[in-house]
Amino acid sequence: MRVQFPLGVGGTLEYEPPEEDRPSAATVALYSPAGTALTAPAVTIDPVNTTLSASASAGATQVTLTSGTGVVARRRYAIIGADGEREFVRVKAIASSVVTLMEPLVHAHASGAVFAGNRLTAPVSTTDAATLDEGYEARWTYTIDSVVRRPIVRFDVVRTVWPRPLVSTAAFRRYAPALLSRELEGDGEDGLDFATALDQGHERVLRDIRNAARDPSRFRSPADFEAAVCEAALLHLATNGGAIPANWSSDPGGYVSLRRLEYDQVYNACLGVAKEYDEDEDGVTNDGEQDVKPKTRRWVR
């Protein structure tokens, strides 16, 4: 998802390099949609840069660090071994220096292997977010293993930023209590309070709104789409083999089709009640804007 910042407020840019290593240096330059240079805010590299204090076997779901300071749950970190083996891990929980991982380790790592964060952050000031527009650029420059990389990330300045998460895990459980067990919550990629499923559901709804030639940021009440996000999250779980009722165990494909149909129906219903659409982005919705109906999705099996 392209990053959005509220008009006149700004926020924090985040970029996670895809390389399984820690940057040694990083900068960023911000540009307007017209290509005009704005500012070059200071970049902060994730401060976590420690080591494993004990060896960890492939398949392990916990590692012990020399120091757990700064490690954050749900954040991604790189383990870099002296033997060349390296991998990204995602933290499920941190207790003192013991880190519980969201997924088992792919490789074995010896004591002394580096455990480091590589997330880059930089502020977007109120001045840099003073003009409503799409297609601002953050031109990152960072160095890993003596190689300089220069990715460009786009962002928008909008009136309404959809909160993330739009749906709390408690609300998600209330929405489908018979399908969402505690065991499923901690299973595989969809652990961490269904964070992955809800995030994927959020992205699906935003994508479908854009495919309907609408801009999500112009809906003044994102809460109108909470049910659609829940259904999209259930579809994600079902597609990945989770949250499938026992009576559908012999036909999981049919259950996925059912969830897709349910999502489309709920998504279209949400579009029907979401009247607060600010077509011209002037901060208010008039009668003409409320009467405009977005395109609905038709489900085809």
Side-chain angles (χ1 to χ4, degrees):
M1 173 187 174
R2 183 183 293 182
V3 178
Q4 297 179 329
F5 295 107
L7 178 66
V9 177
T12 301
L13 274 171
E14 296 181 349
Y15 180 74
E16 291 191 350
E19 297 82 14
E20 297 164 324
D21 210 332
R22 177 180 171 79
S24 58
T27 62
V28 69
L30 306 185
Y31 286 79
S32 73
T36 303
L38 299 174
T39 57
V43 174
T44 300
I45 302 173
D46 191 315
V48 175
N49 188 15
T50 185
T51 59
L52 303 189
S53 62
S55 61
S57 303
T61 56
Q62 285 189 334
V63 295
T64 303
L65 307 180
T66 303
S67 171
T69 301
V71 177
V72 179
R74 305 190 183 191
R75 186 77 57 83
R76 187 184 73 172
Y77 297 91
I79 298 180
I80 308 153
D83 57 359
E85 294 287 12
R86 57 184 64 192
E87 62 183 292
F88 278 128
V89 296
R90 192 176 177 197
V91 173
K92 185 172 186 179
I94 171 74
S96 184
S97 59
V98 178
V99 171
T100 301
L101 305 176
M102 192 172 181
E103 294 180 330
L105 290 174
V106 175
H107 305 291
H109 298 281
S111 176
V114 172
F115 184 97
N118 72 350
R119 178 178 295 195
L120 308 177
T121 58
V124 174
S125 69
T126 56
T127 301
D128 292 330
T131 302
L132 198 68
D133 211 340
E134 300 176 349
Y136 287 82
E137 288 187 352
R139 302 181 184 179
W140 296 93
T141 301
Y142 63 91
T143 303
I144 287 182
D145 289 335
S146 301
V147 178
V148 178
R149 277 85 170 180
R150 294 185 173 86
I152 296 176
V153 177
R154 291 181 177 270
F155 65 93
D156 304 329
V157 175
V158 301
R159 289 190 184 277
T160 304
V161 177
W162 283 42
R164 186 178 290 273
L166 179 62
V167 179
S168 70
T169 55
F172 187 40
R173 291 194 198 95
R174 289 195 299 270
Y175 184 84
L179 295 175
L180 303 175
S181 67
R182 288 288 181 178
E183 291 76 16
L184 176 65
E185 178 182 349
D187 183 38
E189 68 165 339
D190 290 302
L192 295 178
D193 298 328
F194 301 108
T196 300
L198 285 169
D199 189 60
Q200 291 296 318
H202 193 132
E203 288 299 320
R204 186 185 188 101
V205 171
L206 293 178
R207 183 176 65 251
D208 286 342
I209 290 174
R210 292 192 182 96
N211 288 341
R214 307 295 270 178
D215 184 344
S217 68
R218 299 186 188 185
F219 284 99
R220 304 284 288 168
S221 180
D224 290 337
F225 291 89
E226 288 181 355
V229 170
C230 286
E231 286 296 337
L234 289 172
L235 175 56
H236 170 80
L237 286 168
T239 301
N240 286 341
I244 296 179
N247 59 320
W248 283 91
S249 60
S250 61
D251 185 17
Y255 182 71
V256 171
S257 295
L258 176 66
R259 290 260 60 94
R260 187 174 293 113
L261 174 61
E262 188 69 17
Y263 164 69
D264 284 345
Q265 291 175 338
V266 172
Y267 167 80
N268 289 333
C270 289
L271 282 179
V273 302
K275 298 180 182 296
E276 297 294 317
Y277 190 76
D278 185 9
E279 179 75 46
D280 57 10
E281 290 190 284
D282 64 353
V284 296
T285 52
N286 56 42
D287 292 341
E289 289 172 321
Q290 290 185 3
D291 290 339
V292 176
K293 292 294 183 183
K295 299 176 183 177
T296 58
R297 287 172 48 85
R298 184 177 66 178
W299 182 78
V300 178
R301 184 170 181 177

